[in-house]
């Protein structure tokens, strides 16, 4: 009988963990290292960001995807700032009054720095025009010319009345002026006669007088009808005088602004509108107090006068203080903080607003440059994502209150003119959000064509080790920490490898690295060390674990007290120690579990009790079904599988998922079928396929340490160990306490490639291989399994044969 028992050799301590030799570095402390300017381990993401920056066409915005804490935001911002430094300063934008429709303020685009200049010019213009108009309209020349116009009107009116009065006198009639108007009365010897005297006149004389009066009334009416015409002419002349005077007072001020801003056609058009509006409303300027009170700002003084506020400028985006394009990060991307908002103020129970209450959003501040947003925050703010997409598709920023969009705003508001948008946006988020948006939001793919996929790890080699050391030095100087010696840096690299769960990789996690450096610096302060070494780094790592491992300790305690049944000595058929990982936030630890298997005569079913009670997840159920495929293909290719088996995680009260225990379940099942006991000093992890090959799993280091701690708590016997997939050897970065026990021969870790190798270690019996006759070697475990299954098949066939009844004669 050929045996492979000699191949079952445990791993050496050197194979269980990569150790970074401090002597491999040629520096003494991190002070000897130069800062790292490049980004290590993110070549794919960096190339994507560079590509997005280079593409100026619409839609080439970037989504930076990857787990939290690996520096996505930092990298994106660094490359955006580098690109922004090469771009010109973007133009200023301001809102000005629309004198034709005050509800729709106009947007003006000015060269960078000209916005604040124009704003100050218009503020000064308001003050100057008020003083100029008041002094001009109070001048003696204006008063004289206006009095002449008014006097001319009075003279024309009086001359017309005088003509009627003279004609009346020639006819013996007097023109009487009364409080209610004009009247005529007959006279005698130059005096108006009384009604009684008029009645004493002859009938003919009375009729003559009446006729004269009626004729004079017609002429008076004709004269008085000319008065409105003359008044209108007078008013027109006064209006022309006022316009001429206002033009004289305003014209030179406007001309000064014209010359100053002659290169801006839209500004000139606006100044022309201002000229006409000021001349039209000059009365408001000359009727207000002469100037602000002492110590009162002119802008505050104008705030109380709506007419004066309309000539002021609302500088929405001013870039005069910048020397390059902006890079903006909006940490609270609400609808209003992205697109801007229109504020209101309460006056007499009414909400009022004007163009000066328009506030910019992040898109205005980033216009002409770059904007960075957080995906989760953006998507959780109501309507922010839809508003951003609409704005990018339209190519301009339109400020509209969210309440108005939703039909909830009934008060008066504004409709500012839209502003052209030219911005490159980066959204930083995790991979799940990116994939969901790509799948379910077609507009996302159109607007964010570039994916910058950040990796969690990169290859470990001598070159990258030195680069990582320089990264550590850079972060230390940035955080103003104490220098690390090379032993401390070496321990940091080992930590980075453990973070990835792969001895051949290093982690790109910047946040966890920074935490370690800060905490190691704290321990150096506590120990009065001027240089941080490996002891302080290890102290920081142990302290991080100690703050989070309460539950791990409780689980280990309950196992040691016998509350949770786990054997680490002896042998039992159909029972095995499996290993799982519990993830609690950022902390993970291994937990041993007992799996038991029972078999009986049946129809070839393997019952997963966890699945039957809805505690098993789909991956675990898949692993159990694979066991049935393995048993059928290996032992029942020519006869039916005539057993029923049940598998269960003992003392499991929560959900179970994953297939990392499928090899342990198979070992337990083979032991139950064959009756060969399994050594309880071992624990097993690894998934299995239908060919009996053991496959890699996750969390191998935590699983090993979990079973080791249990064995160490009970006392190491030198026989205990863990079976892991051979393909997981490269992932080993176990704790130094495990290494020490392995070096002393008190604990063992076996790499297993197939189920046959694993069952040999667990039972101490060769698995056996089929010979030329198609049979397994007698005494091998596979022989025992096949023999038991054949016996079950015969029994099942016997039960299936019908019993003949004896006939009595």
């Amino acid at each position: 009988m050929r045996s492979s028992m000699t191949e079952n050799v445990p791993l050496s301590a050197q194979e269980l963990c990569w150790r970074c030799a401090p002597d491999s570095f040629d520096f003494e402390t991190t002070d000897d290292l130069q800062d790292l300017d490049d980004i290590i381990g993110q070549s794919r993401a960096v190339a994507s960001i560079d590509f997005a920056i280079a593409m100026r066409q619409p839609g080439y915005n970037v989504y930076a995807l990857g787990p939290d804490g690996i520096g996505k935001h930092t990298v994106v911002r660094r490359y955006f700032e580098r690109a922004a430094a090469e771009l010109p300063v973007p133009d200023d934008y301001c809102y000005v009054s629309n004198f034709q429709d005050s509800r729709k303020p106009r947007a003006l685009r000015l060269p960078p720095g000209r916005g604040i200049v124009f704003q100050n010019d218009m503020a000064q213009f308001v003050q100057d025009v008020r003083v100029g108009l008041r002094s001009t309209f109070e001048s003696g020349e204006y008063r004289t010319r206006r009095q002449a116009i008014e006097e001319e009107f009075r003279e024309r009116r009086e001359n017309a009345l005088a003509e009627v009065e003279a004609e009346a006198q020639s006819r013996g009639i007097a023109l009487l002026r009364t409080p209610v108007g004009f009247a005529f009365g007959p006279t005698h010897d130059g005096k108006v006669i009384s009604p009684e005297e008029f009645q004493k006149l002859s009938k003919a004389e009375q009729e003559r007088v009446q006729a004269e009066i009626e004729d004079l009334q017609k002429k008076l009416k004709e004269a008085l009808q000319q008065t409105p015409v003359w008044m209108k002419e007078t008013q027109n002349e006064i209006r022309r005088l006022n316009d001429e005077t206002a033009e004289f007072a305003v014209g030179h001020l406007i001309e000064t602004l014209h010359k100053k801003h002659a290169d801006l056609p839209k500004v000139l058009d606006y100044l022309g509108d201002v000229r006409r509006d000021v001349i039209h409303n000059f009365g408001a300027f000359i009727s207000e107090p002469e100037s602000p009170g002492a110590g009162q700002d002119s802008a505050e003084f104008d705030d109380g006068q709506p007419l004066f506020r309309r000539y002021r400028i609302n500088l929405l985006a001013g870039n005069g203080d910048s020397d390059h394009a902006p890079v903006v990060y909006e940490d609270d991307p609400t609808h209003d903080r992205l697109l801007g908002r229109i504020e209101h103020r309460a006056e007499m129970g009414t909400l009022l607003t004007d163009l000066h209450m328009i506030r910019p959003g992040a898109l205005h501040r980033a216009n002409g440059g770059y904007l960075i947003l957080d995906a989760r925050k953006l998507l959780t703010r109501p309507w922010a994502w839809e508003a951003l997409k609409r704005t990018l598709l339209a190519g301009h920023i339109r400020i509209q209150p969210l309440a108005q969009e939703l039909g909830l705003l009934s008060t008066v508001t504004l409709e500012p003119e839209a502003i052209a948008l030219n911005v490159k946006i980066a959204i930083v988020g995790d991979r799940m959000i990116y994939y969901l948006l790509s799948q379910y939001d077609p507009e996302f793919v159109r607007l964010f064509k570039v994916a910058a996929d950040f990796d969690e790890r990169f290859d470990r080699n001598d070159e990258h080790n030195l680069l990582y050391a320089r990264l550590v030095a850079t972060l230390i100087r940035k955080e103003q920490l104490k220098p690390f010696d090379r032993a401390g840096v070496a321990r940091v690299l080992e930590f980075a490898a453990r973070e990835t769960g792969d001895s051949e990789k290093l982690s790109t996690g910047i946040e966890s690295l920074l935490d370690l450096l800060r905490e190691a610096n704290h321990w150096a302060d506590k120990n009065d060390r001027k240089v941080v070494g490996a002891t302080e780094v290890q102290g920081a790592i142990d302290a991080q674990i100690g703050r989070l491992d309460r539950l791990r300790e409780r689980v280990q305690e309950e196992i040691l007290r016998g509350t949770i049944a786990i054997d680490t000595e002896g042998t039992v058929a159909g029972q095995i120690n499996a290993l799982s990982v519990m993830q609690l936030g950022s902390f993970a630890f291994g937990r041993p579990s007992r799996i038991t298997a029972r078999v009986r005569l049946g129809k070839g079913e393997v019952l997963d009790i966890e699945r039957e009670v809805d505690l098993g997840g789909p991956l675990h159920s898949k692993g159990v079904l694979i066991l049935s495929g393995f048993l059928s293909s290996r032992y029942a290719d020519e006869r039916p599988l005539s057993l029923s088996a049940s598998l269960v995680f003992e003392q499991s009260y929560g959900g179970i998922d994953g297939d990392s225990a499928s090899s342990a379940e198979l070992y337990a099942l083979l032991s139950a079928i064959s009756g060969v006991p399994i050594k309880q000093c071992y624990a097993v992890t690894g998934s299995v396929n239908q060919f009996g090959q053991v496959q890699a799993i996750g969390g191998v280091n935590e699983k090993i340490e979990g079973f080791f701690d249990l064995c160490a708590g009970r006392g190491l016997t030198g026989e205990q160990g863990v079976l892991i997939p051979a393909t997981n050897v490269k992932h080993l970065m176990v704790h130094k306490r495990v290494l020490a026990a392995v070096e002393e021969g008190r604990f063992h870790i076996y790499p297993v490639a197939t189920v046959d190798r694993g069952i040999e270690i667990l039972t101490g019996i060769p698995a056996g291989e089929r010979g030329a006759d198609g049979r397994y070697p007698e005494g091998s475990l596979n022989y025992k399994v096949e023999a038991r299954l054949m016996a079950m098949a015969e029994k099942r066939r016997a039960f299936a044969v019908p019993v003949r009844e004896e006939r009595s004669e």
Side-chain angles (χ1 to χ4, degrees):
M1 180 176 64
R2 185 172 56 183
S3 173
S4 59
M5 295 288 290
T6 56
E7 300 176 10
N8 300 323
V9 179
L11 296 172
S12 66
Q14 290 73 23
E15 296 175 286
L16 299 181
C17 183
W18 167 70
R19 283 289 176 254
C20 181
D23 294 340
S24 63
F25 297 122
D26 58 359
F27 60 88
E28 293 298 325
T29 70
T30 52
D31 286 343
D32 302 330
L33 295 174
Q34 295 181 347
D35 283 346
L36 182 67
D37 296 326
D38 297 328
I39 306 298
I40 58 174
Q42 303 294 358
S43 57
R44 178 187 292 103
V46 167
S48 299
I49 296 171
D50 280 336
F51 172 72
I53 291 173
M55 296 297 292
R56 306 309 302 174
Q57 289 81 4
Y60 284 90
N61 299 298
V62 61
Y63 186 106
L65 62 152
D68 293 336
I70 62 174
K72 301 188 297 295
H73 182 278
T74 302
V75 173
V76 170
R77 189 176 189 94
R78 178 184 299 183
Y79 277 83
F80 273 8
E81 288 177 345
R82 186 179 301 174
E86 304 297 325
L87 294 179
V89 180
D91 290 337
D92 295 346
Y93 282 93
C94 61
Y95 276 115
V96 298
S97 292
N98 183 342
F99 300 109
Q100 286 72 42
D101 188 348
S102 60
R103 291 183 60 254
K104 298 181 178 180
R106 295 166 51 191
L108 291 183
R109 180 174 181 176
L110 300 91
R114 295 284 292 277
I116 186 65
V117 173
F118 187 48
Q119 184 183 49
N120 293 335
D121 287 346
M122 290 306 298
Q124 186 61 46
F125 167 79
V126 172
Q127 299 305 313
D128 292 344
V129 79
R130 290 166 66 185
V131 175
L133 285 172
R134 185 176 293 108
S135 61
T136 302
F137 278 90
E138 291 177 356
S139 65
E141 180 183 358
Y142 171 77
R143 293 177 183 274
T144 300
R145 293 179 62 183
R146 177 161 183 155
Q147 287 173 359
I149 294 172
E150 294 172 346
E151 184 63 29
E152 181 182 358
F153 166 72
R154 287 192 292 270
E155 287 180 359
R156 294 175 69 180
R157 185 170 181 272
E158 290 300 325
N159 289 338
L161 293 175
E163 290 179 4
V164 174
E165 186 176 15
E167 185 175 350
Q169 288 178 354
S170 65
R171 299 182 184 185
I173 305 296
L175 177 62
L176 304 176
R177 301 172 185 265
T178 68
V180 297
F182 294 98
F184 290 99
T187 61
H188 180 69
D189 293 334
K191 295 181 179 181
V192 179
I193 63 176
S194 64
E196 293 79 9
E197 293 175 340
F198 179 74
Q199 293 297 328
K200 294 178 181 180
L201 298 175
S202 63
K203 187 68 173 178
E205 183 63 19
Q206 290 182 9
E207 291 177 355
R208 184 192 68 77
V209 171
Q210 289 288 353
E212 293 288 353
I213 289 175
E214 289 177 2
D215 183 57
L216 289 172
Q217 285 178 339
K218 292 179 180 179
K219 294 189 177 196
L220 177 62
K221 182 178 180 181
E222 291 175 359
L224 292 177
Q225 285 178 342
Q226 291 298 317
T227 301
V229 177
W230 297 332
M231 182 175 291
K232 186 174 182 180
E233 292 175 355
T234 301
Q235 290 175 344
N236 290 337
E237 290 185 18
I238 292 175
R239 188 176 296 112
R240 283 193 292 271
L241 174 62
N242 290 338
D243 290 348
E244 180 183 339
T245 304
E247 174 65 30
F248 175 78
V250 175
H252 70 283
L253 299 176
I254 293 291
E255 288 303 321
T256 300
L257 295 177
H258 262 267
K259 293 178 182 179
K260 190 171 184 178
H261 303 283
D263 57 329
L264 304 174
K266 289 192 174 182
V267 172
L268 298 183
D269 293 341
Y270 168 70
L271 291 175
D273 293 340
V274 170
R275 179 201 299 263
R276 290 184 289 272
D277 195 74
V278 169
I279 292 174
H280 180 72
N281 295 288
F282 75 93
F285 287 88
I286 63 178
S287 62
E288 291 300 322
E290 182 175 350
S291 62
Q296 187 178 7
D297 183 73
S298 61
E300 294 178 358
F301 182 74
D302 288 347
D303 284 345
Q305 311 298 330
L307 179 64
F308 301 152
R309 286 171 61 86
R310 66 192 281 155
Y311 303 117
R312 289 176 52 207
I313 305 301
N314 181 0
L315 182 58
L316 203 68
N319 298 297
D321 296 333
S322 301
D323 55 4
H324 55 74
V327 177
V328 176
Y329 169 63
E330 178 53 63
D331 65 342
D332 185 19
T334 63
H335 178 280
D336 290 351
R337 291 178 69 88
L338 276 178
L339 273 71
R341 66 188 185 278
I342 301 173
E343 297 178 344
H344 291 75
R345 64 177 183 273
E347 290 187 7
M348 304 297 291
T350 303
L351 293 177
L352 301 178
T353 187
D354 61 22
L355 70 92
H356 301 289
M357 303 188 77
I358 301 174
R359 299 292 180 257
L363 288 172
H364 295 94
R365 300 196 305 274
N367 204 6
Y370 301 90
L371 175 63
I372 305 173
L373 300 171
D374 180 86
R376 192 174 299 278
K377 293 179 181 178
L378 177 64
L379 294 172
T380 55
R381 302 306 190 267
W383 300 100
W385 173 238
E386 292 299 323
L388 178 63
K389 290 192 298 180
R390 183 179 65 247
T391 301
L392 292 176
L393 290 171
H396 57 248
I397 314 170
R398 186 176 299 280
I399 301 177
Q400 186 175 9
L402 179 58
Q404 184 179 1
E405 292 185 26
L406 300 178
L408 303 177
L409 186 65
S410 59
T411 189
V412 175
T413 188
L414 303 176
E415 296 180 19
E417 183 181 356
I419 291 176
L421 178 64
N422 176 28
V423 67
K424 183 75 68 177
I425 298 179
I427 294 180
V428 179
D430 58 50
R431 292 192 176 99
M432 181 59 69
I433 292 177
Y434 174 81
Y435 297 136
L436 288 174
L437 289 173
S438 300
Q439 181 69 27
Y440 296 108
D441 191 340
E443 292 176 336
F444 172 74
V445 180
R446 292 176 55 194
L447 296 173
F448 292 85
K449 298 179 183 292
V450 182
D453 196 350
F454 282 75
D455 206 340
E456 302 94 323
R457 59 186 188 173
F458 61 99
D459 292 337
R460 178 184 61 77
N461 52 45
D462 292 341
E463 179 186 357
H464 287 168
N465 289 350
L466 181 57
L467 289 176
Y468 200 89
R470 290 178 58 192
L471 171 63
V472 171
T474 303
L475 295 176
I476 288 172
R477 280 190 281 271
K478 181 179 179 182
E479 294 288 318
Q480 299 181 350
L481 305 177
K482 294 180 177 181
F484 281 49
D485 63 23
R486 54 187 176 183
V489 174
R491 185 65 189 93
V492 170
L493 263 77
E494 294 170 0
F495 170 82
R498 171 63 185 251
E499 283 282 287
T500 66
D502 192 329
S503 63
E504 298 176 358
K505 303 288 182 179
L506 292 176
S507 171
T508 58
I510 299 298
E511 187 172 345
S512 59
L513 173 59
L514 274 172
D515 290 342
L516 179 62
L517 298 179
R518 295 175 185 132
E519 293 169 23
N521 184 82
H522 162 75
W523 287 105
D525 286 337
K526 196 170 182 178
N527 297 334
D528 294 327
R529 291 285 305 275
K530 294 182 179 180
V531 177
V532 182
T535 302
E536 287 73 32
V537 175
Q538 185 61 51
I541 295 172
D542 293 341
Q544 288 179 349
I545 296 173
R547 290 192 294 269
L548 298 171
D549 70 342
R550 180 190 63 84
L551 185 58
R552 181 191 66 84
E553 288 184 355
R554 293 296 175 269
V555 171
Q556 291 287 343
E557 178 184 346
E558 293 306 318
I559 296 176
L560 293 174
R561 295 175 65 188
T563 306
I564 300 176
I566 302 290
D567 292 334
T568 54
E569 294 179 336
T571 60
V572 180
Q575 177 179 300
I576 194 168
N577 296 324
L579 298 171
S580 60
V581 172
M582 296 188 69
Q583 184 78 42
L584 300 175
S586 60
F587 179 65
F589 64 91
R591 180 186 185 279
S593 300
R594 172 180 288 178
I595 294 177
T596 58
R598 303 290 286 175
V599 297
R600 58 195 177 277
L601 197 63
K603 300 179 180 180
E605 298 173 345
V606 178
L607 178 66
D608 177 13
I609 295 178
E610 307 294 337
R611 182 180 61 182
E612 293 298 317
V613 295
D614 294 330
L615 288 178
L619 294 180
H620 178 260
S621 299
K622 174 187 175 183
V624 174
L625 293 175
I626 288 174
L627 304 186
S628 300
F630 172 79
L631 290 174
S632 299
S633 63
R634 171 170 284 197
Y635 304 111
D637 57 341
E638 295 181 355
R639 63 183 63 84
L641 192 63
S642 302
L643 88 163
S644 287
S646 60
L647 292 167
V648 68
F649 276 78
E650 302 290 358
Q651 293 184 290
S652 170
Y653 308 106
I656 294 175
D657 201 6
D659 62 350
S660 65
S662 59
S663 64
E665 290 173 322
L666 180 56
Y667 295 140
L669 192 57
L670 294 175
S671 172
I673 296 172
S674 65
V676 177
I678 291 177
K679 297 177 183 179
Q680 300 300 299
C681 60
Y682 295 120
V684 177
T685 184
S687 68
V688 67
N689 61 24
Q690 294 187 102
F691 296 97
Q693 298 167 338
V694 179
Q695 303 170 137
I697 44 79
V700 64
N701 295 299
E702 290 80 2
K703 292 175 178 179
I704 293 172
E705 292 162 1
F707 189 68
F708 171 82
D709 290 339
L710 171 60
C711 295
R714 287 178 173 171
L716 296 175
T717 64
E719 296 181 354
Q720 296 138 333
V722 177
L723 279 66
I724 66 170
T727 49
N728 274 124
V729 172
K730 57 182 174 291
H731 301 137
L732 292 176
M733 285 293 296
V734 299
H735 196 275
K736 62 181 181 180
R737 64 181 183 274
V738 181
L739 291 179
V742 170
E743 287 178 342
E744 296 170 0
R746 297 189 298 148
F747 196 77
H748 312 283
I749 299 173
Y750 294 92
V752 175
T754 65
V755 171
D756 288 338
R757 299 292 81 77
I759 200 66
E760 289 177 349
I761 297 171
L762 292 169
T763 62
I765 297 176
E769 299 180 5
R770 290 189 187 275
D773 58 354
R775 296 178 180 273
Y776 287 106
E778 187 173 352
S780 67
L781 190 131
N782 282 325
Y783 175 85
K784 294 178 180 292
V785 172
E786 188 171 57
R788 177 75 184 280
L789 292 176
M790 290 175 63
M792 286 183 170
E794 290 298 327
K795 287 182 180 181
R796 181 182 176 190
R797 185 171 62 178
F799 281 113
V801 175
V803 179
R804 295 183 179 180
E805 297 182 359
E806 295 182 0
R807 296 182 180 179
S808 59
E809 297 183 358

